[in-house]
Amino acid sequence: MKAVLYILFSKKLDRFYIGHTTEPIEERLRKHLSDHTGFTSKAKDWEIAHLEPFPDKTQAYRRELEIKRWKSKHRIKKLINPTL
């Protein structure tokens, strides 16, 4: 099973969302942009800012938790664009 860590960005909220999935990323983004409850329902302008492929869901989830523990917007921006 292939998995992917993804980072979404909303200009409206000026916030990142970090997640992982085994679905095609286009389908996962569609779900984030649809009518639902939860953090990503606060904006409809989410864009994919970063992707990291993994061989399985467990490794993608570990990476998600690692990045979330950073609690640093600046560090996430550096991950997305190392030249910053």
Side-chain angles (χ1 to χ4, degrees):
M1 176 185 299
K2 300 279 184 185
V4 66
L5 164 99
Y6 61 93
I7 300 176
L8 305 179
F9 181 73
S10 166
K11 289 179 186 173
K12 176 184 172 191
L13 301 176
D14 190 31
R15 297 283 305 265
F16 290 101
Y17 177 85
I18 304 156
H20 73 283
T21 188
T22 56
E23 296 181 292
I25 192 64
E26 297 81 12
E27 176 62 15
R28 190 68 191 111
L29 180 60
R30 185 193 67 74
K31 289 179 180 179
H32 281 298
L33 295 173
S34 69
D35 290 331
H36 68 287
T37 58
F39 180 77
T40 58
S41 68
K42 297 174 185 177
K44 298 296 180 211
D45 68 337
W46 294 102
E47 295 180 356
I48 298 169
H50 183 73
L51 297 172
E52 291 181 22
F54 289 89
D56 59 57
K57 190 172 182 169
T58 301
Q59 290 181 46
Y61 181 58
R62 280 190 199 130
R63 179 66 168 151
E64 175 186 340
L65 294 178
E66 175 187 4
I67 293 170
K68 285 180 175 180
R69 279 192 296 268
W70 294 349
K71 297 187 184 291
S72 169
K73 183 186 273 188
H74 177 72
R75 198 162 172 194
I76 293 170
K77 286 180 178 179
K78 289 283 284 182
L79 172 67
I80 293 167
N81 185 355
T83 61
L84 289 179

